[in-house]
Amino acid sequence: DRRKFDETFRKLQMDPVYPYLNSMTGLNDPGDDAQVMEEVMQKDLPEYAQMSRTAVCKDLVRKAEEALPSLVEICKALAGSLGMEEVGVGPV
């Protein structure tokens, strides 16, 4: 049902890990003749306004480490449903 697909896709787009999933090579690969490249950027969160760059980096690392197990499970499920043998998480 197209309506259910659109609703689910909108929910996925609101997830904080969506920009990372969307930028994964092979899952968001427009091919050789595509003219559009979408830049993935970290949001400038209000809680970071009074923090040093080092403190912001440490907080981002902490959040990434907390999210990693879930991201790995999501990637395994995506790989399985897409018939892919391997999906990389993070800089490879």
Side-chain angles (χ1 to χ4, degrees):
D1 172 90
R2 181 70 183 179
R3 194 171 31 123
K4 184 68 175 169
F5 173 82
D6 289 341
E7 177 186 335
T8 303
F9 187 66
R10 278 191 298 277
K11 285 181 185 177
L12 176 65
Q13 287 177 310
M14 299 307 293
D15 193 286
V17 296
Y18 176 76
Y20 305 104
L21 291 174
N22 192 43
S23 69
M24 290 170 48
T25 301
L27 297 180
N28 184 29
D29 189 351
D32 293 336
D33 57 358
Q35 301 297 320
V36 179
M37 286 302 291
E38 195 172 322
E39 190 173 338
V40 178
M41 297 179 65
Q42 178 68 39
K43 292 180 182 175
D44 191 16
L45 301 175
E47 60 260 32
Y48 294 151
Q50 301 301 319
M51 295 170 69
S52 69
R53 289 180 179 176
T54 301
V56 170
C57 289
K58 286 181 181 178
D59 189 59
L60 290 172
V61 167
R62 180 188 59 77
K63 288 180 179 180
E65 288 172 346
E66 288 175 6
L68 185 60
S70 297
L71 185 55
V72 168
E73 291 305 313
I74 290 168
C75 289
K76 285 180 183 177
L78 280 172
S81 66
L82 296 174
M84 300 171 72
E85 291 183 24
E86 188 175 300
V87 174
V89 177
V92 198

